[in-house]
PDB file of all heavy atoms in Angstrom:
ATOM      1  N   GLU S 158      24.330   0.985  -3.297  1.00 94.00           N
ATOM      2  CA  GLU S 158      23.685   0.399  -2.135  1.00 94.00           C
ATOM      3  C   GLU S 158      22.747   1.448  -1.641  1.00 94.00           C
ATOM      4  O   GLU S 158      23.057   2.624  -1.441  1.00 94.00           O
ATOM      5  CB  GLU S 158      24.807   0.170  -1.067  1.00 94.00           C
ATOM      6  CG  GLU S 158      24.258  -0.563   0.111  1.00 94.00           C
ATOM      7  CD  GLU S 158      25.019  -1.862   0.398  1.00 94.00           C
ATOM      8  OE1 GLU S 158      26.006  -2.136  -0.338  1.00 94.00           O
ATOM      9  OE2 GLU S 158      24.574  -2.607   1.245  1.00 94.00           O
ATOM     10  N   ILE S 159      21.482   1.030  -1.388  1.00 94.00           N
ATOM     11  CA  ILE S 159      20.453   1.958  -0.959  1.00 94.00           C
ATOM     12  C   ILE S 159      20.451   2.066   0.544  1.00 94.00           C
ATOM     13  O   ILE S 159      20.482   1.023   1.202  1.00 94.00           O
ATOM     14  CB  ILE S 159      19.032   1.503  -1.437  1.00 94.00           C
ATOM     15  CG1 ILE S 159      19.005   1.397  -2.948  1.00 94.00           C
ATOM     16  CG2 ILE S 159      17.966   2.420  -0.895  1.00 94.00           C
ATOM     17  CD1 ILE S 159      19.190   2.769  -3.701  1.00 94.00           C
ATOM     18  N   VAL S 160      20.396   3.276   1.107  1.00 95.00           N
ATOM     19  CA  VAL S 160      20.372   3.490   2.522  1.00 95.00           C
ATOM     20  C   VAL S 160      19.010   4.121   2.878  1.00 95.00           C
ATOM     21  O   VAL S 160      18.764   5.261   2.500  1.00 95.00           O
ATOM     22  CB  VAL S 160      21.502   4.412   2.995  1.00 95.00           C
ATOM     23  CG1 VAL S 160      21.419   4.595   4.517  1.00 95.00           C
ATOM     24  CG2 VAL S 160      22.889   3.873   2.546  1.00 95.00           C
ATOM     25  N   ILE S 183      20.496  -3.310   0.441  1.00 96.00           N
ATOM     26  CA  ILE S 183      19.817  -2.178   1.147  1.00 96.00           C
ATOM     27  C   ILE S 183      20.273  -2.138   2.634  1.00 96.00           C
ATOM     28  O   ILE S 183      20.434  -3.183   3.236  1.00 96.00           O
ATOM     29  CB  ILE S 183      18.234  -2.378   1.121  1.00 96.00           C
ATOM     30  CG1 ILE S 183      17.772  -2.475  -0.294  1.00 96.00           C
ATOM     31  CG2 ILE S 183      17.549  -1.283   1.886  1.00 96.00           C
ATOM     32  CD1 ILE S 183      16.295  -2.808  -0.448  1.00 96.00           C
ATOM     33  N   LYS S 184      20.508  -0.924   3.145  1.00 96.00           N
ATOM     34  CA  LYS S 184      20.750  -0.773   4.543  1.00 96.00           C
ATOM     35  C   LYS S 184      19.609   0.141   5.143  1.00 96.00           C
ATOM     36  O   LYS S 184      19.031   0.858   4.355  1.00 96.00           O
ATOM     37  CB  LYS S 184      22.096  -0.052   4.811  1.00 96.00           C
ATOM     38  CG  LYS S 184      23.284  -0.926   4.330  1.00 96.00           C
ATOM     39  CD  LYS S 184      24.576  -0.301   4.869  1.00 96.00           C
ATOM     40  CE  LYS S 184      25.771  -0.980   4.296  1.00 96.00           C
ATOM     41  NZ  LYS S 184      25.613  -2.447   4.318  1.00 96.00           N
ATOM     42  N   ILE S 185      19.434   0.036   6.390  1.00 97.00           N
ATOM     43  CA  ILE S 185      18.408   0.924   6.974  1.00 97.00           C
ATOM     44  C   ILE S 185      18.924   1.487   8.274  1.00 97.00           C
ATOM     45  O   ILE S 185      19.516   0.810   9.114  1.00 97.00           O
ATOM     46  CB  ILE S 185      17.033   0.141   7.224  1.00 97.00           C
ATOM     47  CG1 ILE S 185      16.097   1.045   7.997  1.00 97.00           C
ATOM     48  CG2 ILE S 185      17.229  -1.188   7.864  1.00 97.00           C
ATOM     49  CD1 ILE S 185      14.664   0.706   7.913  1.00 97.00           C
ATOM     50  N   ILE S 186      18.721   2.769   8.414  1.00 97.00           N
ATOM     51  CA  ILE S 186      19.095   3.525   9.693  1.00 97.00           C
ATOM     52  C   ILE S 186      17.855   4.225  10.188  1.00 97.00           C
ATOM     53  O   ILE S 186      17.255   5.021   9.457  1.00 97.00           O
ATOM     54  CB  ILE S 186      20.223   4.593   9.405  1.00 97.00           C
ATOM     55  CG1 ILE S 186      21.384   3.888   8.751  1.00 97.00           C
ATOM     56  CG2 ILE S 186      20.597   5.240  10.710  1.00 97.00           C
ATOM     57  CD1 ILE S 186      22.499   4.830   8.306  1.00 97.00           C
ATOM     58  N   SER S 208      21.805  -7.822   9.802  1.00 95.00           N
ATOM     59  CA  SER S 208      23.218  -7.360   9.489  1.00 95.00           C
ATOM     60  C   SER S 208      23.248  -5.965   8.928  1.00 95.00           C
ATOM     61  O   SER S 208      24.350  -5.398   8.893  1.00 95.00           O
ATOM     62  CB  SER S 208      23.833  -8.376   8.600  1.00 95.00           C
ATOM     63  OG  SER S 208      23.067  -8.391   7.369  1.00 95.00           O
ATOM     64  N   ASN S 209      22.116  -5.508   8.410  1.00 96.00           N
ATOM     65  CA  ASN S 209      22.113  -4.218   7.722  1.00 96.00           C
ATOM     66  C   ASN S 209      21.313  -3.158   8.453  1.00 96.00           C
ATOM     67  O   ASN S 209      20.947  -2.184   7.853  1.00 96.00           O
ATOM     68  CB  ASN S 209      21.513  -4.421   6.276  1.00 96.00           C
ATOM     69  CG  ASN S 209      20.092  -4.970   6.402  1.00 96.00           C
ATOM     70  OD1 ASN S 209      19.700  -5.472   7.458  1.00 96.00           O
ATOM     71  ND2 ASN S 209      19.343  -4.832   5.274  1.00 96.00           N
ATOM     72  N   VAL S 210      21.041  -3.328   9.724  1.00 97.00           N
ATOM     73  CA  VAL S 210      20.100  -2.389  10.408  1.00 97.00           C
ATOM     74  C   VAL S 210      20.874  -1.601  11.523  1.00 97.00           C
ATOM     75  O   VAL S 210      21.791  -2.128  12.133  1.00 97.00           O
ATOM     76  CB  VAL S 210      18.949  -3.070  11.079  1.00 97.00           C
ATOM     77  CG1 VAL S 210      18.198  -3.971  10.083  1.00 97.00           C
ATOM     78  CG2 VAL S 210      19.348  -3.942  12.304  1.00 97.00           C
ATOM     79  N   SER S 211      20.542  -0.303  11.609  1.00 97.00           N
ATOM     80  CA  SER S 211      21.079   0.529  12.692  1.00 97.00           C
ATOM     81  C   SER S 211      19.969   1.347  13.336  1.00 97.00           C
ATOM     82  O   SER S 211      19.074   1.792  12.596  1.00 97.00           O
ATOM     83  CB  SER S 211      22.181   1.488  12.191  1.00 97.00           C
ATOM     84  OG  SER S 211      23.182   0.760  11.503  1.00 97.00           O
ATOM     85  N   GLN S 242      30.972   7.043  -2.447  1.00 94.00           N
ATOM     86  CA  GLN S 242      31.281   5.795  -1.798  1.00 94.00           C
ATOM     87  C   GLN S 242      30.300   4.665  -2.126  1.00 94.00           C
ATOM     88  O   GLN S 242      30.287   3.583  -1.564  1.00 94.00           O
ATOM     89  CB  GLN S 242      31.171   6.065  -0.268  1.00 94.00           C
ATOM     90  CG  GLN S 242      32.182   7.054   0.273  1.00 94.00           C
ATOM     91  CD  GLN S 242      31.861   7.496   1.663  1.00 94.00           C
ATOM     92  OE1 GLN S 242      31.665   6.689   2.559  1.00 94.00           O
ATOM     93  NE2 GLN S 242      31.745   8.845   1.862  1.00 94.00           N
ATOM     94  N   PHE S 244      26.801   4.831  -2.117  1.00 95.00           N
ATOM     95  CA  PHE S 244      25.521   4.811  -1.345  1.00 95.00           C
ATOM     96  C   PHE S 244      24.555   5.806  -1.857  1.00 95.00           C
ATOM     97  O   PHE S 244      24.927   6.917  -2.279  1.00 95.00           O
ATOM     98  CB  PHE S 244      25.786   5.121   0.161  1.00 95.00           C
ATOM     99  CG  PHE S 244      26.626   4.152   0.870  1.00 95.00           C
ATOM    100  CD1 PHE S 244      27.877   4.477   1.297  1.00 95.00           C
ATOM    101  CD2 PHE S 244      26.146   2.877   1.065  1.00 95.00           C
ATOM    102  CE1 PHE S 244      28.659   3.556   1.968  1.00 95.00           C
ATOM    103  CE2 PHE S 244      26.966   1.956   1.823  1.00 95.00           C
ATOM    104  CZ  PHE S 244      28.228   2.266   2.247  1.00 95.00           C
ATOM    105  N   ILE S 514      26.918  10.582  12.378  1.00 96.00           N
ATOM    106  CA  ILE S 514      26.567   9.181  12.760  1.00 96.00           C
ATOM    107  C   ILE S 514      26.338   8.283  11.490  1.00 96.00           C
ATOM    108  O   ILE S 514      26.810   7.162  11.399  1.00 96.00           O
ATOM    109  CB  ILE S 514      25.399   9.145  13.675  1.00 96.00           C
ATOM    110  CG1 ILE S 514      25.722   9.731  15.012  1.00 96.00           C
ATOM    111  CG2 ILE S 514      24.774   7.771  13.805  1.00 96.00           C
ATOM    112  CD1 ILE S 514      26.345   8.793  15.999  1.00 96.00           C
ATOM    113  N   ILE S 515      25.701   8.860  10.531  1.00 97.00           N
ATOM    114  CA  ILE S 515      25.377   8.101   9.300  1.00 97.00           C
ATOM    115  C   ILE S 515      26.700   7.731   8.629  1.00 97.00           C
ATOM    116  O   ILE S 515      26.880   6.518   8.278  1.00 97.00           O
ATOM    117  CB  ILE S 515      24.488   8.891   8.363  1.00 97.00           C
ATOM    118  CG1 ILE S 515      23.108   9.063   8.966  1.00 97.00           C
ATOM    119  CG2 ILE S 515      24.354   8.199   6.985  1.00 97.00           C
ATOM    120  CD1 ILE S 515      22.219  10.081   8.193  1.00 97.00           C
ATOM    121  N   LYS S 516      27.573   8.645   8.528  1.00 95.00           N
ATOM    122  CA  LYS S 516      28.851   8.353   7.825  1.00 95.00           C
ATOM    123  C   LYS S 516      29.637   7.286   8.605  1.00 95.00           C
ATOM    124  O   LYS S 516      30.205   6.373   7.996  1.00 95.00           O
ATOM    125  CB  LYS S 516      29.718   9.666   7.741  1.00 95.00           C
ATOM    126  CG  LYS S 516      29.214  10.534   6.606  1.00 95.00           C
ATOM    127  CD  LYS S 516      30.324  11.385   6.076  1.00 95.00           C
ATOM    128  CE  LYS S 516      29.908  11.905   4.718  1.00 95.00           C
ATOM    129  NZ  LYS S 516      30.563  13.205   4.327  1.00 95.00           N
ATOM    130  N   GLN S 517      29.644   7.450   9.925  1.00 95.00           N
ATOM    131  CA  GLN S 517      30.286   6.471  10.747  1.00 95.00           C
ATOM    132  C   GLN S 517      29.752   5.043  10.551  1.00 95.00           C
ATOM    133  O   GLN S 517      30.483   4.073  10.359  1.00 95.00           O
ATOM    134  CB  GLN S 517      30.098   6.877  12.209  1.00 95.00           C
ATOM    135  CG  GLN S 517      31.121   6.481  13.177  1.00 95.00           C
ATOM    136  CD  GLN S 517      30.837   7.141  14.485  1.00 95.00           C
ATOM    137  OE1 GLN S 517      30.496   8.325  14.629  1.00 95.00           O
ATOM    138  NE2 GLN S 517      30.794   6.268  15.542  1.00 95.00           N
ATOM    139  N   ILE S 518      28.414   4.972  10.508  1.00 95.00           N
ATOM    140  CA  ILE S 518      27.761   3.659  10.377  1.00 95.00           C
ATOM    141  C   ILE S 518      28.113   2.992   8.990  1.00 95.00           C
ATOM    142  O   ILE S 518      28.464   1.898   8.925  1.00 95.00           O
ATOM    143  CB  ILE S 518      26.207   3.792  10.513  1.00 95.00           C
ATOM    144  CG1 ILE S 518      25.766   4.139  11.950  1.00 95.00           C
ATOM    145  CG2 ILE S 518      25.442   2.561  10.026  1.00 95.00           C
ATOM    146  CD1 ILE S 518      24.346   4.481  12.083  1.00 95.00           C
ATOM    147  N   LEU S 519      28.083   3.896   7.971  1.00 94.00           N
ATOM    148  CA  LEU S 519      28.320   3.358   6.662  1.00 94.00           C
ATOM    149  C   LEU S 519      29.777   2.956   6.462  1.00 94.00           C
ATOM    150  O   LEU S 519      30.122   1.983   5.789  1.00 94.00           O
ATOM    151  CB  LEU S 519      27.887   4.409   5.612  1.00 94.00           C
ATOM    152  CG  LEU S 519      26.396   4.660   5.572  1.00 94.00           C
ATOM    153  CD1 LEU S 519      26.042   5.693   4.483  1.00 94.00           C
ATOM    154  CD2 LEU S 519      25.607   3.372   5.351  1.00 94.00           C
ATOM    155  N   LYS S 520      30.654   3.705   7.099  1.00 91.00           N
ATOM    156  CA  LYS S 520      32.068   3.379   7.009  1.00 91.00           C
ATOM    157  C   LYS S 520      32.353   2.045   7.651  1.00 91.00           C
ATOM    158  O   LYS S 520      33.042   1.199   7.118  1.00 91.00           O
ATOM    159  CB  LYS S 520      32.854   4.521   7.760  1.00 91.00           C
ATOM    160  CG  LYS S 520      34.331   4.459   7.494  1.00 91.00           C
ATOM    161  CD  LYS S 520      34.974   5.823   7.858  1.00 91.00           C
ATOM    162  CE  LYS S 520      36.443   5.652   8.116  1.00 91.00           C
ATOM    163  NZ  LYS S 520      36.957   6.462   9.198  1.00 91.00           N
ATOM    164  N   ASN S 521      31.791   1.844   8.897  1.00 86.00           N
ATOM    165  CA  ASN S 521      31.950   0.591   9.533  1.00 86.00           C
ATOM    166  C   ASN S 521      31.401  -0.628   8.844  1.00 86.00           C
ATOM    167  O   ASN S 521      31.838  -1.740   9.069  1.00 86.00           O
ATOM    168  CB  ASN S 521      31.377   0.598  10.971  1.00 86.00           C
ATOM    169  CG  ASN S 521      32.101   1.648  11.827  1.00 86.00           C
ATOM    170  OD1 ASN S 521      33.276   1.979  11.507  1.00 86.00           O
ATOM    171  ND2 ASN S 521      31.489   2.108  12.922  1.00 86.00           N
ATOM    172  N   SER S 522      30.472  -0.331   7.913  1.00 82.00           N
ATOM    173  CA  SER S 522      29.748  -1.464   7.263  1.00 82.00           C
ATOM    174  C   SER S 522      30.476  -1.919   6.049  1.00 82.00           C
ATOM    175  O   SER S 522      30.133  -2.948   5.434  1.00 82.00           O
ATOM    176  CB  SER S 522      28.321  -1.013   6.890  1.00 82.00           C
ATOM    177  OG  SER S 522      28.398  -0.160   5.728  1.00 82.00           O
ATOM    178  N   LYS S 523      31.492  -1.155   5.614  1.00 69.00           N
ATOM    179  CA  LYS S 523      32.240  -1.536   4.381  1.00 69.00           C
ATOM    180  C   LYS S 523      33.094  -2.737   4.610  1.00 69.00           C
ATOM    181  O   LYS S 523      33.758  -2.855   5.670  1.00 69.00           O
ATOM    182  CB  LYS S 523      33.041  -0.338   3.918  1.00 69.00           C
ATOM    183  CG  LYS S 523      32.139   0.654   3.119  1.00 69.00           C
ATOM    184  CD  LYS S 523      32.445   0.539   1.684  1.00 69.00           C
ATOM    185  CE  LYS S 523      31.294   1.073   0.863  1.00 69.00           C
ATOM    186  NZ  LYS S 523      31.468   1.181  -0.541  1.00 69.00           N
TER     187      LYS S 523
END
Side-chain angles (χ1 to χ4, degrees):
E158 184 123 7
I159 301 295
V160 181
I183 302 176
K184 296 192 185 315
I185 172 161
I186 305 174
S208 58
N209 61 341
V210 307
S211 305
Q242 299 166 52
F244 294 113
I514 289 276
I515 293 172
K516 283 211 164 153
Q517 208 175 312
I518 289 170
L519 295 180
K520 193 161 158 217
N521 292 341
S522 76
K523 277 257 158 172

